[in-house]
């Protein structure tokens, strides 16, 4: 009998077809998010799960799913998975890195430009019928070219953003736990600085780091106060890294000039203050949203699931201890 798997959310027919070659698949093409109790019930008799970045995989869920051997996510971020709980129960956990680097970096740049050049704000104003004609001081924004771009989190996506910044002759600063190899720094023309120096010096601050206990509210009132009044904050990483209430206050008082946000604390519910502000460009967590990339993310999760349930090491294993233990 084929192993049984659950695909927690809608996915492309190509992804489901690949899964069906090896597995008995329960899908969710109606795309109704399963509340925790329903997810537990549906996963109880499954050997594997193909999940998204928003399905919570934790101890209580895993306790209800004794057959589960692998949880494979289509997302690169894995703050939704309790890796300790997976490891303790021998469940292989995987993510989908790399395939979304360029698409996500594209969106970061779109938000840098949209917020810096007031694209969404001026479009809203124009659509509302306010335009009476050209004026010399209409919608003055921040120049992108030759500005200083501060990237917080210099992983693969951060580096892809830096490459785009180079094309705009930007000065690239970065903050990261560890220094990236000197040859990468040289190729990107990037200089590592501490977070406070980055916040003080940057015209655009772009957040591209994982959400963990340590990065919760990394950017709050104190940090926003360090930024230039002309600066723009962009978050394409995760809600929760920024204290949204503090950001709303900083945008409202024009403590900073603007923000471009793809992710929010408590999304899909937004801090209501964002909706009242003009100086923020908002997108609904679409960082990786091109068909090619979302398909590649799905296929990456398929490859991980196929390996895991065939007794092979999944290419993007997040908890290698489980694998080592199974081998010993
Ligand atoms: C996903 C993301 O679309 O990969 C990530 O970490 O944030 C997005 O690309 C999202 O997590 C839904 O799975």
């Amino acid at each position: 009998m084929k192993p049984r798997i659950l695909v927690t959310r809608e996915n492309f027919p190509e992804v489901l077809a690949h899964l069906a070659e090896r597995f008995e698949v329960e899908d969710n093409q109606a795309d109704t998010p399963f509340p925790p109790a329903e997810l537990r019930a549906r996963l109880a008799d499954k050997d594997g799960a193909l999940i998204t970045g928003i399905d919570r995989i934790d101890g209580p869920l895993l306790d209800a799913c004794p057959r589960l051997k692998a949880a494979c996510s289509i997302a690169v971020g894995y703050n939704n998975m309790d890796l300790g709980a997976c490891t303790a129960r021998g469940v292989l956990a995987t993510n989908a890195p790399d395939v979304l680097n360029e698409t996500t970096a594209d969106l970061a740049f779109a938000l840098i430009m949209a917020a810096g050049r007031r694209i969404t704000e001026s479009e809203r104003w124009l659509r509302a019928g306010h335009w009476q004609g050209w004026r010399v001081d209409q919608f003055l924004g921040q120049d992108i070219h030759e500005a200083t771009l501060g990237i917080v989190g210099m992983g693969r996506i951060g580096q892809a953003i830096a490459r785009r910044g180079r094309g705009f002759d930007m000065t690239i600063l970065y903050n990261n736990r560890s220094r990236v190899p000197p040859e990468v720094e040289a190729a990107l023309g990037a200089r590592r600085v501490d977070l406070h120096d980055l916040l003080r010096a940057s015209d655009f601050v772009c957040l591209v780091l994982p959400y963990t206990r340590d990065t919760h509210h990394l950017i709050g009132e104190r940090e926003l106060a360090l930024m230039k009044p002309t600066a723009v904050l962009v978050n394409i990483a995760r809600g929760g890294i920024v204290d949204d209430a503090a950001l709303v206050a900083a945008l409202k008082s024009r403590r900073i000039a603007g923000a471009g946000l793809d992710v929010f604390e408590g999304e899909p519910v937004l801090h209501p203050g964002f909706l009242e502000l003009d100086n923020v460009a908002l997108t609904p967590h679409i960082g990786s949203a091109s068909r090619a990339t979302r398909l590649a993310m799905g296929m990456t999760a398929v490859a991980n699931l196929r390996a895991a349930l065939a007794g092979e090491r999944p290419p993007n294993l997040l908890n290698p201890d489980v694998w080592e233990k199974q081998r010993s």
Side-chain angles (χ1 to χ4, degrees):
M1 208 172 90
K2 287 178 176 175
R4 285 192 211 142
I5 64 149
L6 177 71
V7 182
T8 58
R9 296 292 301 271
E10 182 185 16
N11 216 309
F12 299 108
E14 297 94 313
V15 169
L16 297 180
H18 275 266
L19 290 170
E21 287 171 11
R22 301 276 176 92
F23 308 124
E24 198 181 300
V25 181
E26 179 178 330
D27 64 36
N28 180 13
Q29 292 304 80
D31 208 33
T32 40
F34 301 133
E38 187 176 350
L39 185 60
R40 274 203 292 278
R42 287 181 185 270
L43 267 182
D45 63 344
K46 302 296 186 296
D47 302 290
L50 189 133
I51 65 168
T52 69
I54 52 179
D55 300 301
R56 180 102 200 110
I57 305 293
D58 56 15
L61 173 92
L62 296 174
D63 287 340
C65 311
R67 289 177 60 100
L68 199 73
K69 294 177 196 66
C72 299
S73 177
I74 66 165
V76 63
Y78 51 86
N79 53 296
N80 57 312
M81 288 196 255
D82 181 340
L83 290 189
C86 291
T87 304
R89 290 158 185 82
V91 175
L92 297 163
T94 69
N95 69 339
D98 290 324
V99 289
L100 44 53
N101 295 347
E102 301 300 327
T103 301
T104 312
D106 286 347
L107 186 85
F109 234 82
L111 287 174
I112 286 171
M113 300 194 75
R117 293 301 307 273
R118 304 174 66 181
I119 306 288
T120 52
E121 177 188 359
S122 58
E123 185 186 353
R124 264 195 312 279
W125 181 86
L126 185 149
R127 283 180 186 273
H130 297 306
W131 198 22
Q132 302 292 318
W134 184 90
R135 274 180 47 179
V136 72
D137 60 351
Q138 220 162 42
F139 288 105
L140 303 181
Q142 314 302 324
D143 277 330
I144 318 297
H145 67 275
E146 294 174 10
T148 296
L149 173 60
I151 300 174
V152 185
M154 197 57 141
R156 292 159 294 219
I157 300 172
Q159 291 174 29
I161 295 167
R163 283 200 299 278
R164 284 156 179 74
R166 288 283 275 173
F168 280 72
D169 295 325
M170 296 176 97
T171 298
I172 314 285
L173 304 177
Y174 77 95
N175 178 258
N176 200 53
R177 265 180 316 188
S178 51
R179 197 179 155 188
V180 300
E183 60 277 15
V184 175
E185 275 188 358
L188 298 172
R191 189 159 59 85
R192 183 171 172 228
V193 293
D194 85 23
L195 180 62
H196 286 185
D197 288 342
L198 181 147
L199 293 169
R200 281 190 203 99
S202 298
D203 300 303
F204 295 88
V205 173
C206 191
L207 305 176
V208 210
L209 68 169
Y211 180 49
T212 64
R213 218 172 269 139
D214 293 341
T215 63
H216 177 72
H217 285 189
L218 181 76
I219 304 297
E221 189 185 345
R222 211 165 58 105
E223 291 71 26
L224 291 162
L226 296 175
M227 291 174 65
K228 296 180 186 180
T230 49
V232 168
L233 179 73
V234 169
N235 187 6
I236 58 148
R238 279 290 180 270
I241 296 174
V242 177
D243 175 346
D244 280 354
L247 178 57
V248 165
L251 289 168
K252 210 171 188 170
S253 64
R254 306 279 155 167
R255 180 61 206 78
I256 65 171
L261 306 173
D262 188 47
V263 288
F264 307 87
E265 276 191 294
E267 62 185 53
V269 179
L270 267 64
H271 188 296
F274 286 131
L275 301 175
E276 289 161 16
L277 290 167
D278 280 329
N279 53 345
V280 58
L282 305 167
T283 50
H285 203 145
I286 57 167
S288 59
S290 74
R291 190 182 196 278
T293 292
R294 286 276 164 87
L295 183 59
M297 292 159 70
M299 289 304 188
T300 303
V302 170
N304 281 310
L305 198 50
R306 282 170 71 143
L309 297 187
E312 293 157 20
R313 185 187 166 112
N316 308 113
L317 187 57
L318 293 167
N319 52 351
D321 287 358
V322 174
W323 178 255
E324 307 305 339
K325 204 166 165 200
Q326 284 175 5
R327 297 298 98 188
S328 63

